[in-house]
Amino acid sequence: MANRFARFRHPPVKRVISKSTRSVAGQVLIFQVALVVLLVACGVFALILQSERDTNAEARRRSMAVAQTFAHSPGVLEALKTPDPSKILQPLTEAARRAADVDFIVVMNTEGIRYTHPLPDRIGKRFVGEIGPSLAGRVYVESVDGPLGREVQATVPIENAGNEVVGLVSAGMKVKNVESQLTRQLPIILGAGAGALALSIGVTVLVGRRLRRQTHSLAPDEMTLMYQHHDTVLHSVREGVLIVAADGRLMLANDEARRLLELPPDVEGRLVSGLPGLDPETKALLTSGREATDEVHLAGERLLAVNQRPTDRKGGPKGTVVTLRDSTELQAVTGRAEVARERLRLLYDAGLHIGTTLDVLRTADELARVPIPRFADFVTVDLADTVLHGDEPAPTGTDMRRAAVCGIRDDHPLSEQGRLFDYLPSTPQAHGYGSGRSQLVSDLPTATGWRVQDPERAQAIIDYGIRSLITAPIQARGVVLGMASFWRGQQHEPFNEEDLSLAEELVARAAVSIDNARRYTREHTLAVTLQRSLLPQAMPEQNALDIAYRYLPAQSGVGGDWFDVIPMPGSRVALAVGDVVGHGLHAAATMGRLRTAVHNFSALDLPPDELLSHLDDLVGSIDQNETAESAAGVVGATCLYGIYDPVTRRYVMARAGHLAPALVHPDGTVTFPDVPAGPPLGLGGMPFQTAELCLTEGTQLVLYTDGLIEDRKRDLDVGMELLRDALAGHPGRSPEETCQDVLHSLLPGRPKDDVALLVARTRELPPDRISDWDVPPDPAAVAGMRDAVSHKLETWGLSEFGFTMELILSELVTNAIRYGGGPIHVRLIRDRALICEVADSSSTSPHLRYAATTDEGGRGLFLVSQMADRWGTRYTPHGKVIWAEQALPEVTQQPVPSPADADTPLDDEAADPSSPT
């Protein structure tokens, strides 16, 4: 109530300003300003009129005096008698003009011809003005437009001793040169007006300020309105209002206060302590003067909420203002409102804390934790076991798994998390699961249906003190996913129908999150399964590299990162790593298409730059064929492809928008080779370039995707330095240990992007397993080559392969001599297979065909294809190489010793046929 009157004592500033011009002081100020302005204007106007009159009079008087004085000056008559009066009179008139402060003095004869003038060119000309009256002997004053402008001039006759007019003198002034009274008196008038105006404003401000203090800046109409509101508020509000003076007298009591306290009619002016019927505690509060906020006091059968505040905070008189409110009917409503507020707060918290992740178990645990202890003492969440795997649930409550259990204590007898069971038909959970409606069991000890599920556990629950149950179906999109059960102990009121609706609302909010997590789990499982099937399941057997790898899917699901290890002819091995931008099934499927394409192109034994060019064309065609409805294209795919040759220890690579690999040298130092960076796949129009490195045996090649080093919290350069630090300083570390240490250093947690990491340690094929010869372009040299190869195979203990290899070699060398060009080179390699290579300078590739019975040739390559396990052609910068392989017995397919095993002698008989992976 005090606040209601405060708005009249202290109106808003804008309101005071807007109404200040209508106050008494403002009206007086406006009147005074208008009066002063009017007086100043009248004074200035009168001054202008008087100044104009005085100006003409002053000009006449001065002109007449100067003219008469000069006419009677000595020497003027004598000068007129001379032959040239102008010569004498002109200097005299100019001196007199300056001395008398007039504009001209003109001496003329009786005919009006000038003898003198301030303008010499006017001498000898006729005088402008009336000379008749002056010739008659009178002084004549007139205003004319003369040679100098608007002039006031006086003409005086010059008489001789006989009173005969012998000449005339005219003196005059320009009107504007006459000093005006206006210039002298106008500042005085204006200054006096400004002083009077300032004085009136100051007096008005002082008077207005005092009036505002006394009336609290209220205009008369506002004061009248305030008192009208005062009476209206006091007698209309449903709050009692009392004003108690400092001496304890009751100064004011409105109608509601009289009713609530049952006060007599003549109560105002009496001491509060002497009022009959007031509770002693209420009297003590009213006379104490202390502040009180919603204190509850008894008044008969009523409970009054009393608020008391002092009235002297804003400079008012000492005392207190008291408001009284009947809170008897509000007590029950307040309790219900508090319960409703708690429930709304619970639902709000559920919206914030349930569904923070796309994990089904985590969401179920959040549902179990939020209602405790505000709504239930214990909560259990049971989900269909298929839901946990992302599948649709069964129509009946079978194969239910406890996904979450939470309570105010940990020693509860409820079933533990992870338990699998079936709902029996008589249980509330089975009824709720089948009907899709919540079930309320207010008194568990007297209910029997729920005991059938597990009688011993049911008895333990009763003995523990749990007395009430609500079980609500977790239903989303018309499908029941599970059941949520809420349990209360005997220390709380049993669940009721209002609690049932709250439980349904709470579970309904969580059901959508659980179903979203289920759908995500299904999609994630499908994507992971697809990607795992598309990535290498095992490393191929080869002797060129020691391989270790890691693949980590991102938090948001699988993506398009991939890698591959592809054995090539001639004991070479191709390493590939790539990345398709995006996540999900489309990225995984696109990755599989690219990996398959790399396998197909590598089978053609293409150089890395040509392979990436073909891959770029493929991605471009995929983008063109993809429609807007089916996919968004594959732009953003990157790839790094390289081929390592253990015979020459050369590594040739090219990259399309991918990060350069890291090289860990045998001494533990780390470098990042400068590999020309081509554009990402699918852009087209730009050729790719290769880089060739000669690697020391034991060098580790580290290929990776950007998810390993890039992060939102750090730059790419920082990630590269972290990778360098993780790789450096460990010269004897195996590829497997390198993978572990790198992931531990750069990715301590689960990555936000896919990560593919491939570490390959190089090996060198020992020289004693390689033999090569230069062959002259002469068919007779074929026999010598057969003998040399046969001798080498005996040395290797492979003489049983001599006949077949001699036949293959004869056909390949003969074709090179006949159809190729020199130089011709033959190389024999013993690895997991026996490899024969014939190189020549021709780029023409032979083709396998079936020869007719009448053909003399064309059967050589057919014999080679029949006797060799594999054969093919690859092109070099200087020609081509035709190769053929024969599989060796398993006992001889031993791995090349790694650098760590360099001291171990090579023993063909005790060779280990297992893969180095």
Side-chain angles (χ1 to χ4, degrees):
M1 181 62 69
N3 293 333
R4 295 180 180 176
F5 291 105
R7 69 186 182 90
F8 293 104
R9 294 200 304 268
H10 302 284
V13 176
K14 291 184 178 180
R15 185 179 178 186
V16 172
I17 294 175
S18 63
K19 295 190 176 183
S20 62
T21 57
R22 298 201 300 265
S23 65
V24 175
Q27 294 172 359
V28 172
L29 176 61
I30 293 175
F31 175 74
Q32 290 177 341
V33 171
L35 181 59
V36 171
V37 172
L38 180 60
L39 291 176
V40 170
C42 291
V44 172
F45 180 72
L47 181 61
I48 292 173
L49 294 179
Q50 182 180 359
S51 176
E52 184 177 356
R53 184 188 63 190
D54 293 346
T55 298
N56 292 329
E58 176 67 16
R60 287 174 177 269
R61 183 189 61 80
R62 187 181 297 182
S63 298
M64 186 181 299
V66 172
Q68 288 178 345
T69 301
F70 193 85
H72 296 90
S73 298
V76 174
L77 288 174
E78 288 75 7
L80 290 175
K81 296 176 181 180
T82 62
D84 189 5
S86 297
K87 183 176 181 181
I88 299 173
L89 293 177
Q90 177 68 15
L92 295 176
T93 56
E94 287 301 303
R97 179 180 67 81
R98 288 191 291 269
D101 195 18
V102 294
D103 291 323
F104 65 90
I105 298 177
V106 176
V107 181
M108 67 195 87
N109 59 18
T110 56
E111 295 179 356
I113 301 302
R114 301 186 188 100
Y115 291 139
T116 64
H117 197 276
L119 301 176
D121 59 342
R122 300 291 180 174
I123 297 174
K125 296 182 180 179
R126 181 172 293 278
F127 174 71
V128 179
E130 184 67 31
I131 63 175
S134 298
L135 292 176
R138 298 195 306 270
V139 177
Y140 182 73
V141 181
E142 63 179 342
S143 179
V144 297
D145 291 327
L148 300 179
R150 187 66 180 173
E151 304 167 347
V152 175
Q153 59 187 12
T155 305
V156 177
I158 302 174
E159 298 177 349
N160 55 15
N163 293 328
E164 180 183 1
V165 176
V166 297
L168 301 175
V169 176
S170 177
M173 298 179 63
K174 293 187 291 186
V175 176
K176 66 178 182 179
N177 290 338
V178 181
E179 183 176 1
S180 175
Q181 296 293 330
L182 179 64
T183 59
R184 296 193 299 270
Q185 297 180 6
L186 185 60
I188 299 175
I189 295 176
L190 295 179
L197 182 61
L199 180 61
S200 63
I201 292 175
V203 172
T204 304
V205 169
L206 294 177
V207 173
R209 184 177 299 173
R210 184 167 184 178
L211 288 175
R212 284 196 298 271
R213 285 200 304 267
Q214 294 178 351
T215 63
H216 299 287
S217 300
L218 295 177
D221 57 341
E222 291 180 321
M223 295 181 65
T224 302
L225 183 62
M226 183 191 72
Y227 285 112
Q228 291 176 353
H229 288 177
H230 173 269
D231 292 338
T232 302
V233 170
L234 284 179
H235 299 290
S236 300
V237 298
R238 293 192 60 187
E239 284 190 359
V241 179
L242 302 174
I243 297 180
V244 181
D247 58 356
R249 294 183 182 276
L250 184 61
M251 305 304 297
L252 183 144
N254 70 343
D255 295 344
E256 185 68 10
R258 296 171 187 270
R259 185 185 70 82
L260 294 176
L261 298 178
E262 298 180 355
L263 298 175
D266 58 345
V267 68
E268 294 180 351
R270 299 171 58 180
L271 292 173
V272 174
S273 59
L275 295 177
L278 283 183
D279 183 72
E281 293 185 1
T282 305
K283 290 183 179 181
L285 174 62
L286 297 180
T287 57
S288 65
R290 64 179 177 85
E291 290 190 11
T293 302
D294 289 337
E295 290 189 8
V296 179
H297 289 263
L298 186 64
E301 297 181 353
R302 297 186 179 94
L303 292 176
L304 302 181
V306 182
N307 291 273
Q308 181 169 275
R309 296 290 186 274
T311 60
D312 57 349
R313 290 183 175 180
K314 304 296 183 179
K318 291 186 178 181
T320 56
V321 58
V322 183
T323 60
L324 309 171
R325 186 174 66 255
D326 189 357
S327 62
T328 306
E329 299 177 356
L330 297 177
Q331 295 299 318
V333 177
T334 302
R336 290 194 295 271
E338 184 63 29
V339 172
R341 210 163 29 243
E342 268 309 308
R343 292 182 174 181
L344 289 175
R345 190 178 297 113
L346 176 61
L347 292 176
Y348 176 76
D349 292 342
L352 290 179
H353 299 101
I354 298 178
T356 59
T357 65
L358 289 174
D359 184 86
V360 176
L361 290 177
R362 178 68 179 274
T363 306
D365 183 71
E366 293 169 348
L367 171 60
R369 292 183 180 277
V370 167
I372 297 173
R374 292 180 287 179
F375 179 69
D377 295 328
F378 300 93
V379 178
T380 58
V381 179
D382 302 330
L383 298 175
D385 195 47
T386 55
V387 171
L388 299 177
H389 299 88
D391 299 327
E392 295 286 341
T396 59
T398 58
D399 293 334
M400 303 298 296
R401 190 175 296 277
R402 179 135 300 173
V405 56
C406 189
I408 57 176
R409 296 171 57 182
D410 295 333
D411 57 347
H412 55 79
L414 300 172
S415 298
E416 67 280 1
Q417 181 179 358
R419 183 182 177 187
L420 186 66
F421 51 86
D422 298 335
Y423 289 147
L424 297 182
S426 61
T427 60
Q429 289 85 353
H431 288 299
Y433 193 96
S435 63
R437 294 189 296 270
S438 301
Q439 303 294 315
L440 171 63
V441 183
S442 300
D443 190 5
L444 282 175
T446 60
T448 57
W450 71 284
R451 293 175 177 265
V452 180
Q453 185 75 37
D454 191 341
E456 294 182 1
R457 190 177 296 274
Q459 187 60 43
I461 291 174
I462 297 299
D463 296 341
Y464 189 79
I466 298 177
R467 291 292 184 269
S468 184
L469 167 67
I470 287 180
T471 179
I474 303 174
Q475 187 172 2
R477 301 177 178 90
V479 178
V480 178
L481 306 175
M483 299 296 295
S485 300
F486 305 89
W487 312 77
R488 273 188 186 174
Q490 57 187 359
Q491 67 272 21
H492 296 102
E493 293 292 331
F495 287 117
N496 53 34
E497 293 295 333
E498 292 184 358
D499 296 326
L500 187 66
S501 62
L502 176 61
E504 291 175 345
E505 179 69 20
L506 187 65
V507 173
R509 298 193 177 200
V512 176
S513 298
I514 292 177
D515 189 57
N516 289 337
R518 176 189 69 84
R519 290 170 177 266
Y520 171 77
T521 301
R522 179 179 60 185
E523 181 180 349
H524 181 73
T525 302
L526 291 175
V528 169
T529 303
L530 174 61
Q531 188 175 44
R532 294 295 184 188
S533 64
L534 295 177
L535 289 174
Q537 304 301 310
M539 289 294 100
E541 296 181 354
Q542 45 81 31
N543 290 339
L545 299 167
D546 290 332
I547 301 292
Y549 63 92
R550 292 290 188 277
Y551 173 77
L552 299 179
Q555 292 180 354
S556 58
V558 298
D561 291 17
W562 59 278
F563 65 93
D564 213 337
V565 179
I566 307 172
M568 302 285 288
S571 298
R572 297 170 302 144
V573 176
L575 301 177
V577 63
D579 184 9
V580 177
V581 176
H583 296 87
L585 291 174
H586 179 70
T590 304
M591 176 271 292
R593 298 170 75 175
L594 294 183
R595 179 170 176 260
T596 302
V598 170
H599 267 272
N600 293 335
F601 291 141
S602 64
L604 300 177
D605 210 342
L606 298 175
D609 55 341
E610 294 185 19
L611 184 141
L612 291 182
S613 297
H614 288 288
L615 200 63
D616 180 66
D617 295 338
L618 174 64
V619 173
S621 63
I622 292 176
D623 283 339
Q624 293 177 0
N625 294 331
E626 294 282 5
T627 62
E629 293 80 12
S630 61
V634 196
V635 174
T638 65
C639 182
L640 171 66
Y641 181 81
I643 301 175
Y644 174 71
D645 188 349
V647 177
T648 61
R649 293 184 287 105
R650 293 192 175 275
Y651 180 59
V652 182
M653 57 182 162
R655 60 185 178 126
H658 203 83
L659 297 171
L663 296 181
V664 183
H665 299 280
D667 59 356
T669 59
V670 179
T671 59
F672 293 93
D674 185 12
V675 183
L681 298 175
L683 298 182
M686 295 293 292
F688 298 96
Q689 302 179 26
T690 59
E692 184 174 336
L693 304 176
C694 184
L695 304 179
T696 306
E697 185 177 12
T699 301
Q700 291 189 7
L701 286 165
V702 181
L703 283 66
Y704 52 90
T705 56
D706 56 0
L708 180 67
I709 59 174
E710 286 186 349
D711 191 88
R712 294 180 181 178
K713 299 180 181 179
R714 66 189 182 205
D715 295 334
L716 179 63
D717 294 339
V718 176
M720 297 289 285
E721 290 302 318
L722 292 176
L723 177 60
R724 183 193 300 272
D725 296 340
L727 293 174
H730 302 280
R733 189 166 54 182
S734 66
E736 187 69 26
E737 294 172 342
T738 300
C739 287
Q740 295 177 358
D741 293 345
V742 167
L743 294 182
H744 178 74
S745 300
L746 274 71
L747 300 173
R750 187 174 180 182
K752 297 182 180 180
D753 193 9
D754 289 19
V755 174
L757 176 63
L758 182 64
V759 179
R761 185 170 60 184
T762 62
R763 293 169 176 254
E764 181 182 7
L765 199 64
D768 59 354
R769 295 195 172 197
I770 305 169
S771 294
D772 50 0
W773 303 269
D774 290 326
V775 181
D778 184 0
V782 175
M785 282 304 308
R786 286 198 299 267
D787 294 340
V789 169
S790 177
H791 177 72
K792 191 61 181 180
L793 292 179
E794 291 179 1
T795 305
W796 285 345
L798 300 176
S799 56
E800 66 272 19
F801 295 93
F803 176 76
T804 304
M805 185 53 64
E806 289 179 10
L807 180 59
I808 293 174
L809 181 64
S810 298
E811 293 297 335
L812 296 181
V813 172
T814 301
N815 283 339
I817 294 174
R818 180 176 299 178
Y819 304 108
I824 301 174
H825 187 79
V826 174
R827 185 169 67 174
L828 195 64
I829 302 174
R830 176 192 173 189
D831 194 16
R832 291 184 172 270
L834 186 59
I835 305 168
C836 176
E837 296 179 347
V838 178
D840 61 67
S841 60
S842 174
S843 59
T844 302
S845 175
H847 297 281
L848 179 65
R849 64 186 181 88
Y850 290 96
T853 56
T854 58
D855 292 339
E856 296 182 359
R859 298 175 179 83
L861 288 181
F862 177 78
L863 293 176
V864 171
S865 65
Q866 294 298 313
M867 305 186 71
D869 293 332
R870 293 194 310 161
W871 76 280
T873 304
R874 70 172 181 269
Y875 294 93
T876 65
H878 307 289
K880 68 176 182 297
V881 175
I882 303 178
W883 55 270
E885 291 184 0
Q886 278 188 285
L888 296 178
E890 185 176 346
V891 68
T892 61
Q893 294 181 12
Q894 56 193 20
V896 177
S898 65
D901 303 328
D903 295 335
T904 303
L906 185 63
D907 187 358
D908 290 348
E909 300 297 332
D912 183 7
S914 62
S915 171
T917 59

